Amino acid sequence: MVTSPVFRFAPSPNGALHLGHALSALLNFRLAHSQHGRFLLRIEDIDVERCTPAFEQAIYDDLNWLGIQWEHPVRRQSEHFSDYEAVLKKLIRENLVYPAFMSRGDIRAYISETADHGKSWPRDPDGVPHYPPIDRRLSARERRKRMASGAPFAWRLDVKGALARISQPIDWTEFLDESLAHSENIDARPESWGDIVLARKDIPTSYHLAVVLDDARQSVTHIVRGRDLFHATSIQRLLQELLNLPKPSYFHHRLVLDENGRKLSKSESDTGLGKLRAAGATVEDVMRLIGLGAGQELG
Ligand code: GLU
């Protein structure tokens, strides 16, 4: 049976969408159309402190303005915490996730005590030092004791333990351009991340866990998103293998940069879509700014 491709745009309502989001949303929407597939919108609102109904409404307004239509109902991650929690509990039972008690300060202090003051300590693709191997080795009894004492902690994935449970190597198909006509195979390197946070003490998920579960629950086949998430794919592929989830294909598209060559951020509101619209910009202006032809067909 040939199933039609499923694309998705998955913004977080923790700030205003900017030109980079417009590129991502439009690429997904146009590709879904040209590939005779489906286009889904997912609201990634697990950060209940920073995500607001007003930002969520602004996402709908901005996408409507761009002429994008999506399927209903929209999946909102905050409505699926029990699903994430069930998977987290399974990983805890399987001893693949452990409570990590060290604060950022503890980690810094630990690393600076290593032989060369941490100079050769491994860092993840974002430049953050790997989590020290201390808590992974704690006995079950000690873990229980510390958790019962109310100490703050996060649930971290034992990446080495996870790699030992799956068949390797793991890889993914990466499309090379917006036509999705050409692709190459990329070897995933989850170990480059160290033991990542999979859930918080009071939020039973993290971005990585929720994103792989939702992509599977929504049968997403093609993940089209910015190049800034290229390396995250390594850890997400590991989770997909570990949880027996289907393997999507990926296209990590170019980023829209500001005049200084930096990635746009949600706080730089002058490139925010709402601000541009209020200042009289048209959808054609947006297309020009992000380098997409107005009626340009893809694929
Ligand atoms: N929610 C993520 C963001 O807004 C995107 C997740 C993804 O496309 O995988 O950056």
Side-chain angles (χ1 to χ4, degrees):
M1 194 180 68
V2 181
T3 52
S4 56
V6 180
F7 293 80
R8 52 62 160 183
F9 175 57
S12 296
N14 58 7
L17 295 192
H18 54 55
L19 289 169
H21 296 104
L23 175 63
S24 223
L26 283 162
L27 279 178
N28 274 290
F29 180 62
R30 289 178 173 198
L31 281 165
H33 184 74
S34 65
Q35 308 267 324
H36 309 289
R38 297 168 58 203
F39 172 75
L40 310 177
L41 172 64
R42 182 166 74 231
I43 299 294
E44 302 217 322
D45 56 350
I46 56 170
D47 184 346
V48 288
E49 308 257 292
R50 290 170 62 223
C51 293
T52 68
F55 283 135
E56 184 176 329
Q57 185 55 50
I59 290 174
Y60 303 136
D61 295 344
D62 290 343
L63 296 181
N64 272 322
W65 179 56
L66 293 173
I68 291 175
Q69 291 112 40
W70 57 91
E71 290 185 13
H72 291 274
V74 167
R75 188 174 174 98
R76 300 171 72 243
Q77 292 188 323
S78 58
E79 292 167 2
H80 298 276
F81 281 134
S82 57
D83 184 18
Y84 311 136
E85 188 166 17
V87 175
L88 175 69
K89 284 194 168 148
K90 176 176 167 286
L91 292 171
I92 296 171
R93 274 198 308 275
E94 291 175 2
N95 225 0
L96 286 167
V97 164
Y98 62 88
F101 300 96
M102 293 172 90
S103 65
R104 279 205 200 118
D106 295 337
I107 300 172
R108 251 196 318 273
Y110 178 89
I111 294 171
S112 68
E113 278 163 29
T114 57
D116 59 356
H117 305 289
K119 280 201 204 71
S120 59
W121 190 265
R123 288 175 178 266
D124 72 21
D126 289 341
V128 177
H130 283 195
Y131 193 74
I134 302 299
D135 293 337
R136 197 196 315 139
R137 296 187 194 135
L138 288 181
S139 67
R141 190 154 169 259
E142 181 62 24
R143 282 179 188 170
R144 273 198 304 275
K145 201 174 103 196
R146 290 214 204 164
M147 285 165 73
S149 77
F153 68 89
W155 293 105
R156 285 188 181 259
L157 178 69
D158 175 354
V159 170
K160 283 205 180 83
L163 282 167
R165 304 267 181 108
I166 59 165
S167 30
Q168 294 188 55
I170 36 177
D171 60 3
W172 77 85
T173 299
E174 175 77 28
F175 291 109
L176 298 175
D177 61 56
E178 291 166 13
S179 71
L180 307 191
H182 309 283
S183 63
E184 66 182 0
N185 232 47
I186 307 280
D187 288 326
R189 296 189 52 245
E191 62 284 359
S192 68
W193 284 96
D195 289 353
I196 51 133
V197 171
L198 220 55
R200 306 272 165 197
K201 190 177 173 186
D202 22 75
I203 301 184
T205 186
S206 65
Y207 157 62
H208 293 299
L209 182 60
V211 89
V212 297
L213 287 173
D214 282 347
D215 285 332
R217 304 288 188 253
Q218 296 189 287
S219 308
V220 173
T221 57
H222 289 65
I223 296 183
V224 175
R225 58 187 182 187
R227 266 210 92 76
D228 50 337
L229 289 170
F230 180 86
H231 292 292
T233 311
S234 278
I235 210 77
Q236 294 173 13
R237 283 289 302 118
L238 171 63
L239 289 171
Q240 286 158 353
E241 291 299 314
L242 202 58
L243 299 169
N244 277 319
L245 304 175
K247 179 182 177 186
S249 301
Y250 292 82
F251 172 48
H252 292 94
H253 62 71
R254 64 189 161 84
L255 299 178
V256 180
L257 303 176
D258 68 12
E259 64 275 15
N260 302 314
R262 278 194 308 258
K263 199 185 122 186
L264 301 180
S265 77
K266 283 185 172 155
S267 52
E268 283 164 36
S269 50
D270 51 334
T271 55
L273 299 179
K275 271 266 166 74
L276 286 167
R277 188 161 69 248
T282 63
V283 174
E284 288 67 37
D285 294 330
V286 171
M287 301 285 185
R288 193 174 28 78
L289 288 166
I290 62 178
L292 268 194
Q296 183 188 325
E297 279 297 320
L298 298 162

